[in-house]
Amino acid sequence: MKPRIGVTGGIGSGKSTVSERFAQLGCAVIDADEIARGLTLPGGAAIAAIQEQFGAHFITHEGALNRAQMREAVFQDPGAKQRLEAILHPLIQRSIFDRYAHACEHSAAKVVIFDIPLLAESQQWSPRLDQVIVVDCEERTQLARVQARSQLSAEAVAAIMAQQASREQRLRKADWVIWNETLSLQALGDEVLGLYNELIAVLPLQH
């Protein structure tokens, strides 16, 4: 079994950039968001259950999840978020561990990165991971980064952040913290390289 390293962080923290850098270093990366998107594309395994639970107007003409419609429903009704998660989370978890088993058998990677945005919101992940890396920055920095890359208003971004774990909750899960407040892309990449070398030194590796 290869070491399982969780990477998490709030929206706009730079978590995805960190995971991409780990991939460049030869790690196998399992992206929970990418899996979730696949489940809600046309023909995705979650579409039928979402339509049954929420109605046909939550599905686009192409057969994908209507993300804008679902985002509005979730913001207005916390129960909608719970119903959606009850559909998606078991499918995501199954896919993640299928991919992990495949990486253990077929990948030359020394470690497997589990890129999980909502790691701190769930009690299930910490016992299943060997180490957890939290990518952290100030909340105002998260807000500015997300607005700069999207068409979302400050209010919409703040609403997304409010539904995620707090910085303090994430940091309580951390074995390692990458403080990504003022780092350039090059400096962030160097931080990840240094952390990767430390992980290789301290973790028992599969041979």
Side-chain angles (χ1 to χ4, degrees):
M1 302 290 282
K2 296 178 185 288
R4 301 155 297 180
I5 309 300
V7 174
T8 195
I11 187 171
S13 66
K15 170 192 64 64
S16 296
T17 303
V18 167
S19 292
E20 288 169 8
R21 179 61 174 136
F22 274 117
Q24 293 168 1
L25 293 170
C27 297
V29 176
I30 301 171
D31 184 339
D33 265 355
E34 181 266 324
I35 291 171
R37 284 192 294 272
L39 292 170
T40 56
L41 290 175
I47 292 297
I50 291 172
Q51 181 166 333
E52 180 179 352
Q53 177 68 234
F54 292 94
H57 60 293
F58 280 86
I59 307 300
T60 67
H61 293 302
E62 295 76 22
L65 172 67
N66 186 326
R67 296 183 181 279
Q69 183 85 15
M70 184 60 74
R71 184 163 51 241
E72 182 178 348
V74 166
F75 287 159
Q76 293 180 355
D77 176 14
K81 179 174 183 284
Q82 294 171 359
R83 297 200 308 275
L84 180 63
E85 289 176 347
I87 295 169
L88 290 178
H89 284 186
L91 295 172
I92 293 169
Q93 292 164 20
R94 189 178 313 136
S95 182
I96 285 174
F97 285 102
D98 285 347
R99 294 188 185 196
Y100 175 66
H102 185 272
C104 286
E105 187 170 352
H106 300 289
S107 173
K110 293 181 178 180
V111 299
V112 180
I113 300 295
F114 289 58
D115 183 330
I116 304 175
L118 302 182
L119 186 152
E121 286 82 345
S122 172
Q123 298 301 313
Q124 65 143 331
W125 285 113
S126 294
R128 296 182 173 188
L129 298 169
D130 297 301
Q131 301 270 280
V132 171
I133 299 166
V134 171
V135 187
D136 191 34
C137 64
E138 298 285 355
E139 290 182 355
R140 63 176 179 271
T141 303
Q142 292 179 251
L143 184 66
R145 286 173 179 165
V146 177
Q147 279 199 274
R149 74 187 188 203
S150 73
Q151 301 301 314
L152 296 175
S153 66
E155 293 75 16
V157 179
I160 294 171
M161 291 170 58
Q163 296 213 355
Q164 297 185 336
S166 67
R167 289 181 58 211
E168 291 74 18
Q169 288 171 316
R170 281 191 294 270
L171 290 169
R172 283 199 292 270
K173 300 283 187 177
D175 297 292
W176 310 81
V177 176
I178 295 177
W179 178 240
N180 186 30
E181 178 66 21
T182 58
L183 295 176
S184 66
L185 281 176
Q186 178 63 50
L188 180 58
D190 291 344
E191 286 277 327
V192 177
L193 174 59
L195 180 50
Y196 174 74
N197 288 331
E198 289 193 62
L199 289 168
I200 293 302
V202 302
L203 290 172
L205 302 178
Q206 181 187 60
H207 296 287

